Amino acid sequence: MGSTIALCFPCEEPAMQITFERATAADAEALVNVQIAAFHEDARLYPGVEIGGPPGYDSVESTLQKIAEDDFYKIVYEEQIIGGIVVFDEGQGHFHLDLIYLAPDYHGRGIGTRAMEFIERSYPATKWSLDTPGYATRNHHFYEKFGYVKVGEEARDGIILIAYEK
């Protein structure tokens, strides 16, 4: 499964060709580098948040395992990996968005919106779920824009995670 989408920001510039492609083992190191940059950005955006990320975000071995076991996509611009998406199939039409991340230099350009549209179009879901840190209010607004609704919260690995469903 792959997809190419043209984005322009602002539209006076040539369209930005973004692709969503299945990740391979050869992509693992680049994906980890982008994950580190993306998740460490939270420490800059949210005062009091320590540098870190979800378990395994900084591990090539963990990323290789996710590539082998899950639906892992790379987000590519000009032959460079700028983000990633990991989807779990929970069965019976339920899919879980495990990860969606983008290099900080590409935030605010509509790429995250296109990534959400890509996964929702690519999977015949009757239910989507995801969780995101309680402190990450930017993420909350992003998911709510797509119709996700807060259904709970849970303390895990020293942070509060907000559970969303659609």
Side-chain angles (χ1 to χ4, degrees):
M1 226 184 286
S3 177
T4 300
I5 296 178
L7 306 171
C8 67
F9 344 87
C11 287
E12 298 83 48
E13 296 178 14
M16 182 179 213
Q17 297 292 321
I18 301 294
T19 62
F20 303 94
E21 306 166 21
R22 287 301 286 259
T24 67
D27 301 321
E29 188 173 340
L31 287 162
V32 168
N33 290 336
V34 175
Q35 285 179 96
I36 290 169
F39 291 113
H40 287 192
E41 178 73 355
D42 283 352
R44 189 187 69 75
L45 291 174
Y46 304 108
V49 171
E50 293 184 27
I51 288 178
Y57 80 101
D58 56 354
S59 163
V60 171
E61 182 177 304
S62 177
T63 299
L64 284 168
Q65 184 175 354
K66 282 183 183 270
I67 289 169
E69 296 176 2
D70 304 315
D71 290 357
F72 202 136
Y73 296 89
K74 59 187 175 183
I75 304 171
V76 180
Y77 172 61
E78 293 186 345
E79 299 181 25
Q80 179 182 346
I81 294 172
I82 63 166
I85 305 165
V86 179
V87 176
F88 295 161
D89 184 346
E90 302 287 359
Q92 299 181 329
H94 176 192
F95 291 90
H96 180 80
L97 179 57
D98 179 55
L99 291 174
I100 182 169
Y101 58 91
L102 195 58
D105 290 347
Y106 295 91
H107 289 182
R109 297 182 182 195
I111 299 168
T113 295
R114 299 299 169 248
M116 291 295 287
E117 291 169 350
F118 165 73
I119 62 163
E120 289 185 353
R121 188 179 64 246
S122 298
Y123 291 87
T126 56
K127 176 182 175 182
W128 278 99
S129 61
L130 61 88
D131 50 50
T132 193
Y135 62 77
T137 54
R138 177 182 63 158
N139 296 1
H140 302 183
H141 297 297
F142 178 74
Y143 297 128
E144 290 167 6
K145 174 174 84 169
F146 288 96
Y148 287 80
V149 177
K150 179 181 172 183
V151 294
E153 46 185 79
E154 167 189 0
R156 192 182 323 150
D157 299 320
I159 63 168
I160 299 295
L161 289 176
I162 308 297
Y164 280 92
E165 290 183 356
K166 176 177 177 179

